[in-house]
Amino acid sequence: MSLEAKLDKIRSPNLQNQKENAVVLSALEATIREQHAQPTPTAYFAALLALLGQSISQESGIVNKELATAVVYLLDIVIPFTPQPLLRSKFYQILIHLATPLTHKEAEAPLLKPAIGCLETLLVAQDSASWSLPPSQVGPRAAMALLLELAVDPRPKVRKHAQDALKKVLQSPPPSPALDHPAADLCAQTSLRRLSELALAAGKTKKSRGHENAGQHEPALIHALQLIKAVAAAAGGWPSKKIEPLCEVLLNISKSTNEYLTMATFEVFEIIFTGMADDFNSSKLPRLLDAISELRPSQNDSQLLPPWIAIMSRGYEVWAQVDSQETFQKLPEIFDLVAGFLASSAHNIRVSASECLVSLLENCIPNSALLSPSIYDEKVLEKLARLAIGLLSVNYQAAWVEVFTVLVSMFSSLSWKANPIMFDVVKTVGELRGNDSFAGKKEADEVLGSAVRVMGPEAILKLLPLNLMKPKAGQPGRAWLLPILRDHVWAANLMHFRSEFVPLSEVMFQRVLDHGEAEKTMEIKIYETLVQQIWALLPGYCELTQDLPQAFDQGFAELISNLLYQQVGLRVDICRALHSLVQSNQSILQVPEDEELLLHIISKERAQKSLDHLASLAGNLLAVLFNVYSQTLPQHRGHILKCIDAYLEIIPQQELMETFTRVTTALEGSLVEAGPQTQASKQKQQGQPAADKMPPMSHTLMDLVITISVHLPRESFSTLFQIASVIITKDNDAQLQKKAYKLIPRLASTPTGSEALQTRSEEVQHLLLASASTTCIPSRRDRLLALSTVVSSLSPTSLHFIPTILSEVVIACKETNEKARTAAFELLTLMGRRMAEGGLITAAKVPHLGPDAADIPATLEEYFTMLAAGLAGGSPHVVAASVAALARCLYEFGDELADETKSELVQTMDLFLTSPNREIVRAVLGFVKVAVIALPKAMVQPRLASLVPHLLAWGKEHKNQFKAKVKHIMERLMRRFGTEIVEKVTPEEDWKLVRNIRKAKDARKRRKDAAKDDGEEEDEEAGSDAPNAPHSRRSRQFDSAFDEVAYGSDSDVSALSNPADSDDNPTRKRHGRGSTTTTTAAAATKKRGSRTYIHEDPDEPLDLLGTSALAHLSSTKPPKRGDGLVSTRKRGVQLDVDGKLVFREGGADGEAMLLEPGADANGNGNGDRDLGVKTGTGAYLEALSGKHAVQRGRGGKLKFRGAGTRRDGRGHPNADPDADGDADGDQMDLDVDQDATAARQGRDMSLNAGRSGAGRDFRAGRGALGGRGRDGGRSRGRGRGNSGRGGGGGDRPARFGGRGGVVKSTRGGRGGRGSAGRGGSGGHGGRVRAGRARGG
């Protein structure tokens, strides 16, 4: 950040404590102006230096604390921009003034922190001669002594600033032959002396037991250790001469019982190890590690043991970098030491130990011990293997997860050397894995998988045979090994697959064939699965296979070909295997020579021989793959095409041309035979589903041509262009035309093809222009991509192609297909870039300009002029497309475009806002959004007087969301230009909208402040003028920044129905179906994210699979169950569930008059249901999904639950014994025109008996009520249901099935027959409640 930018922030302070700085800066600038000087850093520095002498003096100390703080603060900002020679010349003067606050005991942090910053900049500017002065003189070393004192200050911020300043100074040494900073020894010596003194004082205090000040030195010790860390990290490691005394002090401190001191000590060791990695004096590192190992904490010390283990791990890692062979010889000893901690009962100790062992194995085994091991190296590896076997003993049973992690790392580190020294580990883990009761199967699979990867499947299967083909008695089958082999086999012998798995596959498949066409048993399905798993191993065997020339012979190739033809289910695995054969060997050829371990597994010479062998078979394999490709459905062709592409890379040139010739010849013949494939003809072919329908042969062959094209030599491109020219002009097959257009971008993806396109640019341009009129709608996106390829390769003399295709690209901006629109916008941007690069447009070659037109220079302004010509189009569609194109280009090139052009565009769009055509205005609104954000304020503000009224004229239009778009633009205008300016140009009749926006903004700010007070973070309002402003939570995500600007809106569309509504009205309703909520609730929902709650009936469990389950879902949290009353603190009254006032009667406790059904005068609920406490929202939700909720059943009829309940004078439910309807729990069918008011009050409704009609069956899975009778119905009398079939009882408890079966408090019809549920058997007058017959 520049000096002027920093001073600008000070000139307009946001905080109260920064106003003094602004006042001082204003006075400084006034002084500089009076002296007719330029406001340079030197001028600011001189003025501040004079003020510093007035506010701080050596004799009087700090004269004016406020002025001194402001001056030093400004000096800290200015001094980094001051020339260094000037700083060196004024060092003494500045240091004398700064020394007073730096050494003053009562100096506060606001003064000390900028003073430390000034001192840091001064010290960085000093040269070697200045640093040679002794500390007794006033010089840089004396200033370093001040910093070292402040680096252990008890105030955290001051201490942190001083330590950061020390780091910066030590990391910026003056130019000299020495590598270290001249003050590094001074800092190390001073900090070490302070640490030693404090450690000695702490030790003496500790010896006096019971001393009340026993821990008084510990905070100072921690601060001293932080200083040691800062010096060691900044100086590139602790100075070598001081390493021994430092380690001695650190080892003594680490014995402290204070865990913070011990951990701080270990952190210092970590810094020291890092510094020793490149130190020539690294011979002291083994002795240091031995000393640290002697400090081993207790076996179960969960606080100190993990950091100690981490320090040991880091120390050996550094030692391995310095002396890998010596570290390797010590590896078994340290491995055994750390492995003992795996038996600890503390989980964090076990995890730390396993991480340390993994680090040791990965860092301390050199490549030389694997590539060319000595006899002693072999013995070290055997010791490690024996230690690994010991980890599988019962002693480490609690840590088997960590042990398996270590074993995985050991197999990876030992690589091929694990064979055979790790055989015992494989056997033991395999036996554990085969035990059904073993819980660590997943971890054991990882161990065996790593063993397979380094030892090979052949060695593993000798130790753990599958026992599938001829199982032996007493030996278990290990089919579970097949998925492990599938995921981890690589660099194996393909011959092993042929000898071991191919016969096994044949045996299993023969058993499937022997079963014949009978219904498959479980055993047959297992055999089929085994066949699939066996051939799933082939891709792993083909990755870097060791014996490809010997194993992949003609016989195996024929076997693979037959399987591709006959076994459709195996094609994916076989194609992956064939592709892996080529790709893996090609990757080896790209491996650098320093990858010794990988090249030891398979050399580049062997990989090249494998590729040569595959190339000899490529022609026949491609013929098979082509045939298989033509017989495969399009949705399953991807892996085959990928395999074909791999073999086209290695096939010899002559065979490639022969293959290409055969494919093109077949394509020409198929084009002659193929009929039209228009959309209408496709719709007529309804013989089979589209997913199972094979495409025409011409489509398949064209796919193959596109795949072959990138591998062809330059001389065959004429044939490609001839094919493309024939197919592109055909408008009777859209899919084939799409494939032809794809050929051009495909060729451009290779250097040879790109060069050929540039050479044949005129020919390709002519072809694309001639085919414009025959382009099918589905092909437009691919045509635009082809045009983009041509435009990107245009020469400066071929720019006439841009105005020729411009009208087509502009019209494509209004395509209904999103991908086509995106391609059109990207092509518009690309053409603009090419025009901005310059060149000459040959006007005579542009069709509509005529042969006599003068050439036009290619500029960005000329490009916009071409785009603006579409505004005079004859149709609204063309005009709207031109406006959209101009908006996108303005967004992309707004900074490069001339101001005059931008001003004319804004003025023109202002006029278009008065157009009566909605399509044009909709595009113009998008342009205005972009202009408000992308254009400078000075350009948009003069147009506001006419722009805003024209915008608001469309603010009352509801179609196409015009109202929401206009409001969003107004919000952006108010954010950028201010509410006052926008209000001035707003017509009086639209002031309500402006006030609404302002109130909504204030409400959002209040909610945001409230969220901060509650400790919650909320996304900032999406109101930044920057195009990359963060998205609001409720705004949709867009693919590009332009789409967000042009189409995004953070306005609440549902709140626009009434601009007069404001956030001051908390009960504002949104006019949507069934959506009544408050602003507060909406804000809370936004703040906590979208949540969904389930409202359950207390008496009946909710059937989540039922048709009425959605009625129980709500975004509002359900209220807690209570006594049915709501006590509101704001109003001090009580409401019942219907929102009515509840009057109290009685004594001081004010027992409420209970209006709940089933409650007595004392409030004891004896009814059928105990309703919960309901607020106004709760009552609304109860009406939607509660006991008396209205539902729409089959045929659009309304159903009221519990509509048959009657209340007596006291509010108790009273079932009428004469009524044949349901009293409470059944559902009653009503016509839409029935009296809904009576239904909500729970009164009986009488309907015509003839309404019952034929009995309706409820879904059997729910076990719900029985269907109604054919003749009885729900009449007022004693009509009886006849022959209604009940739903078969499902799995829900307390449900009733059968004829006439009913639920609680209901009167049964004829005796019901329970069907798979607990059936009710109520007869005449019987009541069934909770599943039990009560009287009949």
Side-chain angles (χ1 to χ4, degrees):
M1 186 181 294
S2 64
L3 175 62
E4 188 61 28
K6 292 185 176 182
L7 294 179
D8 279 339
K9 287 188 174 182
I10 299 175
R11 294 186 184 105
S12 55
N14 295 325
L15 301 177
Q16 186 68 26
N17 58 1
Q18 294 178 347
K19 291 187 176 180
E20 183 69 22
N21 302 334
V23 172
V24 174
L25 178 61
S26 177
L28 280 176
E29 292 175 338
T31 303
I32 293 174
R33 285 194 297 269
E34 289 175 0
Q35 296 175 356
H36 304 288
Q38 294 295 325
T40 61
T42 304
Y44 282 114
F45 177 74
L48 286 170
L49 207 58
L51 277 178
L52 185 63
Q54 298 176 14
S55 58
I56 302 175
S57 65
Q58 190 174 5
E59 298 80 11
S60 306
I62 302 176
V63 179
N64 187 334
K65 185 175 70 173
E66 289 78 10
L67 179 60
T69 303
V71 170
V72 176
Y73 178 81
L74 293 173
L75 188 62
D76 185 26
I77 293 176
V78 172
I79 200 171
F81 301 93
T82 307
Q84 289 193 355
L86 180 60
L87 295 180
R88 286 195 287 269
S89 64
K90 297 293 182 179
F91 178 80
Y92 178 82
Q93 181 182 354
I94 300 174
L95 183 59
I96 290 299
H97 289 100
L98 292 180
T100 300
L102 291 174
T103 57
H104 201 282
K105 294 182 179 180
E106 298 181 358
E108 297 178 353
L111 177 58
L112 283 176
K113 290 192 292 183
I116 292 172
C118 294
L119 194 57
E120 171 195 326
T121 308
L122 282 174
L123 292 173
V124 171
Q126 302 308 305
D127 53 12
S128 300
S130 303
W131 284 105
S132 62
L133 295 176
S136 57
Q137 298 184 14
V138 179
R141 290 180 178 269
M144 288 294 287
L146 288 176
L147 281 181
L148 289 168
E149 288 294 329
L150 292 171
V152 292
D153 193 271
R155 291 167 289 188
K157 291 185 177 180
V158 175
R159 185 171 65 249
K160 182 70 166 54
H161 265 70
Q163 291 175 3
D164 291 342
L166 276 174
K167 290 180 184 178
K168 182 67 178 297
V169 173
L170 293 176
Q171 289 172 352
S172 307
S176 66
L179 298 177
D180 294 335
H181 196 282
D185 288 338
L186 170 66
C187 295
Q189 182 178 357
T190 304
S191 55
L192 179 57
R193 183 177 66 249
R194 179 181 295 276
L195 182 65
S196 303
E197 293 173 354
L198 288 171
L200 183 61
K204 291 180 179 179
T205 307
K206 185 179 180 181
K207 291 179 180 179
S208 56
R209 295 184 178 179
H211 197 278
E212 59 181 3
N213 296 325
Q216 64 177 350
H217 297 289
E218 291 179 351
L221 266 176
I222 294 178
H223 299 163
L225 287 170
Q226 291 174 347
L227 176 59
I228 293 286
K229 284 173 55 181
V231 174
W238 192 260
S240 303
K241 299 178 181 178
K242 310 291 182 183
I243 187 68
E244 290 185 1
L246 175 62
C247 291
E248 183 179 355
V249 175
L250 290 176
L251 294 177
N252 290 331
I253 295 175
S254 62
K255 299 177 182 178
S256 171
T257 56
N258 189 328
E259 61 185 50
Y260 296 104
L261 274 176
T262 308
M263 294 178 69
T265 306
F266 288 153
E267 291 174 357
V268 177
F269 275 121
E270 170 71 17
I271 297 294
I272 295 174
F273 290 145
T274 305
M276 282 186 172
D278 299 325
D279 197 350
F280 66 92
N281 200 16
S282 58
S283 59
K284 298 177 182 178
L285 186 56
R287 185 157 53 89
L288 177 60
L289 289 174
D290 292 339
I292 296 175
S293 63
E294 294 176 0
L295 294 172
R296 181 177 57 184
S298 173
Q299 180 81 7
N300 295 315
D301 191 341
S302 60
Q303 295 293 330
L304 300 181
L305 199 53
W308 180 86
I309 293 174
I311 290 302
M312 292 293 293
S313 173
R314 176 59 178 160
Y316 273 86
E317 180 184 348
V318 175
W319 192 16
Q321 297 173 8
V322 176
D323 190 352
S324 59
Q325 195 61 36
E326 185 69 22
T327 310
F328 178 62
Q329 303 303 329
K330 292 275 292 183
L331 181 58
E333 179 182 348
I334 184 62
F335 189 94
D336 189 24
L337 173 65
V338 178
F341 298 120
L342 289 174
S344 174
S345 59
H347 179 260
N348 62 334
I349 294 178
R350 298 199 302 268
V351 172
S352 298
S354 65
E355 292 175 351
C356 178
L357 293 175
V358 170
S359 176
L360 291 173
L361 291 170
E362 291 179 352
N363 298 304
C364 299
I365 299 180
N367 292 342
S368 59
L370 302 176
L371 296 172
S372 55
S374 63
I375 298 177
Y376 198 74
D377 292 341
E378 297 281 2
K379 292 182 178 180
V380 172
L381 294 177
E382 292 174 1
K383 287 180 183 179
L384 289 175
R386 287 195 294 270
L387 291 173
I389 288 292
L391 293 179
L392 293 172
S393 63
V394 182
N395 296 335
Y396 300 97
Q397 184 173 1
W400 269 353
V401 174
E402 290 80 15
V403 168
F404 287 162
T405 303
V406 175
L407 293 178
V408 170
S409 177
M410 181 171 286
F411 277 112
S412 301
S413 301
L414 295 180
S415 191
W416 61 87
K417 284 295 180 181
N419 185 2
I421 60 176
M422 296 289 286
F423 276 1
D424 292 338
V425 174
V426 174
K427 285 183 179 180
T428 306
V429 176
E431 292 173 358
L432 289 173
R433 173 61 177 82
N435 191 345
D436 294 336
S437 61
F438 183 63
K441 288 184 171 62
K442 180 180 178 182
E443 292 78 11
D445 287 349
E446 293 178 359
V447 175
L448 293 175
S450 61
V452 168
R453 190 165 185 82
V454 299
M455 298 171 64
E458 189 172 358
I460 299 299
L461 291 178
K462 287 181 180 179
L463 299 172
L464 303 171
L466 292 174
N467 294 329
L468 294 178
M469 186 183 299
K470 297 178 181 180
K472 299 179 182 179
Q475 292 188 3
R478 296 187 177 91
W480 49 265
L481 264 177
L482 292 176
I484 299 175
L485 293 171
R486 177 198 62 202
D487 295 337
H488 297 90
V489 168
W490 80 301
N493 291 321
L494 184 59
M495 189 62 73
H496 178 256
F497 180 84
R498 293 185 60 180
S499 61
E500 179 77 16
F501 290 104
V502 171
L504 178 61
S505 171
E506 293 174 352
V507 170
M508 296 299 170
F509 188 67
Q510 186 61 42
R511 293 177 183 177
V512 175
L513 294 178
D514 294 342
H515 186 71
E517 299 295 331
E519 183 180 357
K520 294 181 180 179
T521 62
M522 181 60 66
E523 184 179 4
I524 297 302
K525 292 180 179 178
I526 291 175
Y527 292 150
E528 290 181 342
T529 304
L530 286 175
V531 172
Q532 291 285 346
Q533 290 182 340
I534 288 170
W535 285 100
L537 302 177
L538 185 59
Y541 273 94
C542 291
E543 184 177 359
L544 296 182
T545 182
Q546 300 288 315
D547 56 349
L548 192 146
Q550 297 79 26
F552 201 90
D553 53 11
Q554 188 67 29
F556 189 69
E558 291 176 0
L559 173 63
I560 293 296
S561 301
N562 292 332
L563 288 174
L564 284 173
Y565 282 122
Q566 300 171 8
Q567 300 298 323
V568 178
L570 301 180
R571 285 179 182 174
V572 175
D573 292 322
I574 294 176
C575 288
R576 284 180 55 219
L578 293 175
H579 178 264
S580 181
L581 284 173
V582 177
Q583 188 269 334
S584 60
N585 285 287
Q586 286 179 334
S587 64
I588 288 295
L589 299 179
Q590 308 298 325
V591 171
E593 294 295 337
D594 56 353
E595 295 285 344
E596 297 178 347
L597 296 181
L598 181 58
L599 293 178
H600 178 82
I601 296 174
I602 180 170
S603 63
K604 291 187 176 182
E605 292 76 13
R606 186 186 298 177
Q608 186 60 53
K609 289 181 180 179
S610 299
L611 289 175
D612 294 341
H613 178 72
L614 289 174
S616 64
L617 301 174
N620 295 331
L621 286 175
L622 283 174
V624 173
L625 290 171
F626 285 172
N627 292 331
V628 173
Y629 183 83
S630 64
Q631 299 170 10
T632 306
L633 293 173
Q635 60 268 29
H636 304 300
R637 287 179 169 181
H639 51 278
I640 305 176
L641 204 61
K642 188 176 180 181
C643 184
I644 290 173
D645 189 62
Y647 282 87
L648 286 171
E649 292 183 15
I650 63 173
I651 189 173
Q653 191 76 21
Q654 182 179 356
E655 294 186 27
L656 175 63
M657 293 304 301
E658 293 175 357
T659 303
F660 176 65
T661 303
R662 287 196 298 268
V663 173
T664 52
T665 304
L667 177 61
E668 292 174 0
S670 64
L671 289 176
V672 175
E673 297 174 1
Q677 288 291 323
T678 60
Q679 192 68 23
S681 63
K682 289 182 180 180
Q683 293 176 356
K684 293 179 181 179
Q685 299 173 1
Q686 301 292 338
Q688 54 182 339
D692 300 334
K693 187 176 179 181
M694 294 295 295
M697 183 56 68
S698 58
H699 293 191
T700 300
L701 294 173
M702 192 63 196
D703 287 337
L704 296 177
V705 169
I706 294 173
T707 306
I708 298 173
S709 62
V710 295
H711 306 287
L712 291 174
R714 181 79 176 270
E715 54 269 15
S716 61
F717 282 3
S718 58
T719 306
L720 282 178
F721 288 120
Q722 183 180 359
I723 293 173
S725 61
V726 171
I727 297 178
I728 284 179
T729 55
K730 286 181 173 291
D731 58 353
N732 58 354
D733 193 338
Q735 294 299 320
L736 191 61
Q737 192 181 66
K738 286 179 63 175
K739 296 178 186 300
Y741 276 121
K742 288 179 180 179
L743 184 61
I744 296 175
R746 173 79 171 171
L747 285 175
S749 62
T750 62
T752 305
S754 180
E755 183 180 351
L757 285 177
Q758 291 180 356
T759 305
R760 296 174 173 266
S761 179
E762 294 290 337
E763 181 182 346
V764 176
Q765 293 176 32
H766 178 74
L767 173 63
L768 291 175
L769 293 176
S771 61
S773 59
T774 60
T775 303
C776 303
I777 294 178
S779 307
R780 287 179 183 172
R781 171 179 174 267
D782 295 287
R783 174 177 171 82
L784 291 169
L785 295 177
L787 290 172
S788 299
T789 304
V790 175
V791 169
S792 61
S793 61
L794 286 178
S795 63
T797 58
S798 302
L799 296 182
H800 60 274
F801 185 67
I802 292 178
T804 305
I805 64 171
L806 185 59
S807 58
E808 178 185 355
V809 179
V810 170
I811 294 298
C813 294
K814 296 287 288 182
E815 282 286 340
T816 55
N817 185 283
E818 183 179 1
K819 293 182 179 179
R821 289 198 309 272
T822 303
F825 282 126
E826 291 176 354
L827 180 53
L828 274 176
T829 305
L830 178 61
M831 292 191 297
R833 293 291 178 199
R834 291 308 311 270
M835 292 286 288
E837 291 173 2
L840 192 65
I841 300 175
T842 307
K845 295 183 179 181
V846 180
H848 57 274
L849 293 183
D852 299 332
D855 293 346
I856 305 170
T859 61
L860 200 57
E861 283 72 17
E862 183 63 29
Y863 183 61
F864 271 82
T865 303
M866 296 176 186
L867 289 173
L871 298 177
S875 67
H877 187 76
V878 174
V879 176
S882 301
V883 173
L886 285 169
R888 177 57 183 263
C889 292
L890 177 65
Y891 180 81
E892 295 289 342
F893 308 107
D895 296 336
E896 309 170 31
L897 200 60
D899 291 344
E900 181 182 357
T901 305
K902 291 185 284 188
S903 179
E904 291 177 356
L905 283 175
V906 176
Q907 183 178 358
T908 304
M909 296 305 161
D910 190 5
L911 295 176
F912 271 109
L913 276 176
T914 60
S915 171
N917 187 277
R918 289 191 181 90
E919 184 179 9
I920 296 176
V921 173
R922 185 177 183 182
V924 173
L925 290 178
F927 182 94
V928 173
K929 281 186 183 180
V930 175
V932 169
I933 293 175
L935 298 183
K937 286 185 178 181
M939 187 173 296
V940 180
Q941 187 168 349
R943 304 295 311 173
L944 291 180
S946 60
L947 184 65
V948 171
H950 292 161
L951 277 174
L952 293 174
W954 290 96
K956 303 176 182 60
E957 180 67 47
H958 290 275
K959 290 185 178 180
N960 295 325
Q961 294 185 343
F962 278 3
K963 194 166 190 176
K965 295 176 185 294
V966 170
K967 181 178 179 182
H968 178 57
I969 296 174
M970 293 296 295
E971 288 177 352
R972 290 194 176 273
L973 287 172
M974 292 170 66
R975 290 193 200 109
R976 192 167 192 199
F977 300 102
T979 306
E980 294 77 9
I981 295 178
V982 176
E983 280 185 346
K984 289 180 181 178
V985 297
T986 302
E988 185 176 354
E989 61 271 14
D990 295 306
W991 282 354
K992 289 182 180 180
L993 176 62
V994 177
R995 287 197 294 268
N996 185 336
I997 295 173
R998 186 179 66 251
K999 290 180 180 180
K1001 181 179 179 181
D1002 295 341
R1004 284 194 295 267
K1005 187 176 183 300
R1006 288 195 300 270
R1007 289 195 298 270
K1008 182 179 176 182
D1009 295 340
K1012 288 182 179 179
D1013 294 340
D1014 295 339
E1016 300 179 3
E1017 294 183 358
E1018 184 174 304
D1019 288 351
E1020 291 198 11
E1021 174 187 348
S1024 173
D1025 290 336
N1028 56 352
H1031 298 288
S1032 171
R1033 286 188 182 182
R1034 61 190 171 194
S1035 64
R1036 54 174 287 202
Q1037 299 293 325
F1038 294 96
D1039 295 333
S1040 65
F1042 171 77
D1043 290 342
E1044 181 183 359
V1045 171
Y1047 309 114
S1049 174
D1050 58 355
S1051 302
D1052 191 353
V1053 178
S1054 61
L1056 300 178
S1057 57
N1058 186 5
D1061 292 343
S1062 67
D1063 292 277
D1064 297 335
N1065 181 10
T1067 60
R1068 183 182 67 190
K1069 297 181 179 180
R1070 296 184 182 178
H1071 301 283
R1073 185 168 64 179
S1075 61
T1076 303
T1077 184
T1078 62
T1079 304
T1080 306
T1085 302
K1086 175 187 173 185
K1087 186 166 60 179
R1088 65 175 177 262
S1090 176
R1091 296 182 181 178
T1092 305
Y1093 299 91
I1094 298 177
H1095 294 260
E1096 294 188 89
D1097 194 327
D1099 293 332
E1100 299 179 3
L1102 177 61
D1103 182 9
L1104 293 176
L1105 298 178
T1107 55
S1108 62
L1110 290 178
H1112 296 268
L1113 300 181
S1114 172
S1115 60
T1116 307
K1117 187 175 181 179
K1120 297 180 180 179
R1121 298 177 184 176
D1123 57 358
L1125 301 176
V1126 177
S1127 178
T1128 57
R1129 289 175 291 179
K1130 293 182 179 180
R1131 291 178 286 183
V1133 298
Q1134 286 189 329
L1135 304 175
D1136 66 358
V1137 293
D1138 295 326
K1140 299 177 181 178
L1141 290 175
V1142 177
F1143 296 96
R1144 298 181 179 274
E1145 62 180 4
D1149 54 352
E1151 289 294 328
M1153 242 185 349
L1154 297 180
L1155 302 181
E1156 270 305 298
D1160 57 18
N1162 296 325
N1164 300 321
N1166 298 324
D1168 297 331
R1169 182 177 179 186
D1170 185 15
L1171 293 175
V1173 177
K1174 299 290 190 296
T1175 60
T1177 304
Y1180 170 73
L1181 292 172
E1182 178 69 16
L1184 281 181
S1185 58
K1187 177 179 176 182
H1188 301 285
V1190 182
Q1191 290 186 347
R1192 190 175 294 277
R1194 297 181 181 177
K1197 300 174 184 178
L1198 297 179
K1199 297 182 180 181
F1200 290 87
R1201 296 182 182 177
T1205 302
R1206 214 183 237 187
R1207 301 180 185 273
D1208 59 11
R1210 295 170 297 172
H1212 291 283
N1214 185 12
D1216 185 1
D1218 295 331
D1220 196 25
D1222 297 340
D1224 186 59
D1226 201 355
Q1227 295 179 342
M1228 182 169 64
D1229 293 349
L1230 296 181
D1231 285 335
V1232 177
D1233 57 350
Q1234 286 299 116
D1235 188 356
T1237 305
R1240 283 194 296 269
Q1241 293 174 352
R1243 297 174 182 170
D1244 291 334
M1245 299 292 298
S1246 296
L1247 296 178
N1248 246 332
R1251 236 198 106 266
S1252 296
R1256 296 189 306 181
D1257 291 341
F1258 279 67
R1259 189 165 58 181
R1262 292 186 56 204
L1265 305 178
R1268 292 203 174 33
R1270 183 169 53 247
D1271 299 311
R1274 296 172 53 98
S1275 63
R1276 186 181 295 274
R1278 286 180 173 270
R1280 292 183 303 186
N1282 228 357
S1283 303
R1285 285 193 57 84
D1291 55 357
R1292 293 185 51 190
R1295 279 296 190 179
F1296 302 84
R1299 199 173 295 152
V1302 293
V1303 293
K1304 60 177 183 176
S1305 299
T1306 61
R1307 290 185 47 77
R1310 255 177 171 175
R1313 180 169 81 227
S1315 173
R1318 291 171 56 185
S1321 58
H1324 296 288
R1327 282 203 338 177
V1328 182
R1329 185 177 184 274
R1332 295 179 176 83
R1334 262 182 155 193

